[in-house]
Amino acid sequence: MVEACGLLADGARFDETAPGQWALTREGGHSTRRIIHAGGDATGAEVQRALDHAAAALDIRRNHTALEVLHSSDLSGESGVTGVLVHNPDGIGLVHAPAVILATGGLGHLYSATTNPEGSTGDGIALALWAGVEVTDIEFIQFHPTMLFDPRGTGRRPLITEALRGEGAVLRDARGDSVTAGVHPLGDLAPRDVVAAAIEARLRETGDECVFLDARGVEDFARRFPTVNAACRAAGIDPTRDPIPVVPGAHYSCGGVRTDVFGRTSLPGLFAAGEVARTGMHGANRLASNSLLEGLVVGSRAGREAAGHSVVAGTPMADIEPVGREAMDRGLLQRAMSRWASVVRDAEGLADLADVNFDKFSTQ
């Protein structure tokens, strides 16, 4: 609630049932209505809009790609961040800085289909590993149970918000049978891993390509869920008359760069916040909507910590020798991950994944 109030000061506006009274909803794994939302199902967009407005005064270097987090050791052997090696349209360059915050998001595009934006390719994880920083619980990848199914599409796909099930939508298979009946006491509002696994099991059992989310009983659908409504209609689906075809999709990484709850990593001067970080707050299976809370809280803390570290450390300079990195064939990686490291995994499949010769298909 405190962080939401901070966003209000930056211009964010959340849905209300009455002036000064937030409208609350319920999502998977939650025992009560506790989710603040904006624009019905556009909370993330509203948070981003407010943050963009607050960041307007910052020196933002667009079209810069981080290649390596630079660090060096002092005479005592203590290592610390010295800056970032970057690439931009003018070539390779250095940004000297005593503190760096990784805020690169997730890694959904390691899979063929995901709800993640195009930039979610795990780059922050790679930067941390190359800097010798610990990455942990990387196998804790959450699959959202209801990604809009498109038999022709790969890459990013629309997410069908869990709030629909909180408002009474139900999951059924092609025969009209409940997908989660008898699986969990919370039924369709069970935690995400339970619902995703139930859908995957039903698809394997029936051979169907998808299951269906029946939201025809949700009142005032278009006004309350405009984002989902637009995505469905763009796919030729009228959610007020037709069940929505859905499948689980790669959604959120609960693991990542190991940090404390202030975003600090094991490398002095290097911080991480948001989905790239593993704070331990989510365990192996994040509750719906807690990602925004964690990003806001830890992001704010990491910013303050980084600013304080910069005052103490100053701006160190270091001679650097760029390290060449090979690029892996992304299509091959996505197909392999989707086949063997998806919702349901087993030892045999993971062994097959480990045996894939990615180096054979690497490109410079």
Side-chain angles (χ1 to χ4, degrees):
M1 294 296 187
V2 173
E3 299 301 332
C5 290
L7 283 173
L8 291 177
D10 290 325
R13 295 294 177 262
F14 297 102
D15 296 344
E16 298 177 330
T17 56
Q21 184 174 350
W22 284 326
L24 302 178
T25 191
R26 179 184 172 210
E27 299 184 356
H30 295 278
S31 59
T32 188
R33 289 177 175 266
R34 57 177 292 271
I35 308 300
I36 300 170
H37 50 86
D41 58 359
T43 311
E46 177 61 12
V47 170
Q48 185 68 58
R49 187 193 65 77
L51 292 177
D52 286 345
H53 180 265
L58 300 179
D59 177 12
I60 299 175
R61 308 292 178 89
R62 303 188 185 280
N63 301 316
H64 283 57
T65 301
L67 302 177
E68 190 168 352
V69 174
L70 307 176
H71 56 97
S72 63
S73 299
D74 60 23
L75 295 178
S76 67
E78 181 72 13
S79 181
V81 165
T82 59
V84 181
L85 183 70
V86 300
H87 179 271
N88 64 29
D90 296 322
I92 301 293
L94 299 178
V95 176
H96 295 283
V100 171
I101 302 176
L102 297 175
T104 55
L107 43 72
H109 282 273
L110 296 185
Y111 292 86
S112 297
T114 177
T115 63
N116 290 187
E118 294 299 327
S120 297
T121 53
D123 290 15
I125 302 293
L127 290 169
L129 289 171
W130 290 334
V133 174
E134 183 181 3
V135 170
T136 188
D137 293 337
I138 200 66
E139 74 276 17
F140 292 164
I141 297 173
Q142 184 179 74
F143 291 81
H144 196 284
T146 53
M147 181 177 68
L148 185 64
F149 173 67
D150 181 353
R152 304 159 298 176
T154 58
R156 187 181 187 182
R157 297 184 189 174
L159 179 151
I160 307 301
T161 177
E162 204 158 29
L164 273 172
R165 281 176 280 141
E167 298 301 321
V170 295
L171 282 165
R172 304 186 188 280
D173 62 21
R175 282 148 290 283
D177 297 328
S178 170
V179 173
T180 60
V183 173
H184 191 279
L186 291 176
D188 287 347
L189 281 175
R192 287 178 172 175
D193 62 324
V194 175
V195 180
I199 293 173
E200 185 76 5
R202 185 62 56 88
L203 295 180
R204 292 190 178 192
E205 174 188 337
T206 62
D208 295 333
E209 292 185 299
C210 66
V211 296
F212 296 89
L213 182 66
D214 189 348
R216 290 174 291 184
V218 176
E219 295 182 1
D220 205 8
F221 187 101
R223 182 188 65 81
R224 296 172 66 194
F225 300 98
T227 306
V228 173
N229 184 63
C232 288
R233 291 184 181 277
I237 301 162
D238 179 353
T240 65
R241 302 182 64 177
D242 309 313
I244 305 168
V246 295
V247 290
H251 184 53
Y252 192 88
S253 175
C254 294
V257 182
R258 185 169 189 171
T259 74
D260 61 13
V261 294
F262 291 89
R264 295 176 292 219
T265 73
S266 57
L267 176 63
L270 183 64
F271 302 81
E275 193 173 350
V276 70
R278 184 276 191 188
T279 61
M281 292 182 181
H282 300 306
N285 183 39
R286 175 179 68 88
L287 280 176
S289 291
N290 281 0
S291 57
L292 295 180
L293 290 175
E294 185 201 37
L296 291 168
V297 172
V298 179
S300 178
R301 291 176 175 181
R304 289 192 291 268
E305 291 289 322
H309 178 87
S310 298
V311 171
V312 174
T315 305
M317 307 290 282
D319 294 327
I320 64 99
E321 182 177 347
V323 178
R325 308 290 185 187
E326 288 189 344
M328 186 178 294
D329 182 277
R330 185 185 296 183
L332 174 64
L333 175 63
Q334 291 173 333
R335 291 191 296 273
M337 289 289 290
S338 297
R339 179 175 179 182
W340 290 303
S342 191
V343 179
V344 179
R345 310 167 196 172
D346 56 37
E348 182 180 356
L350 293 177
D352 288 340
L353 177 61
D355 288 339
V356 176
N357 186 2
F358 292 107
D359 292 337
K360 180 179 178 181
F361 298 94
S362 294
T363 57
Q364 292 290 340

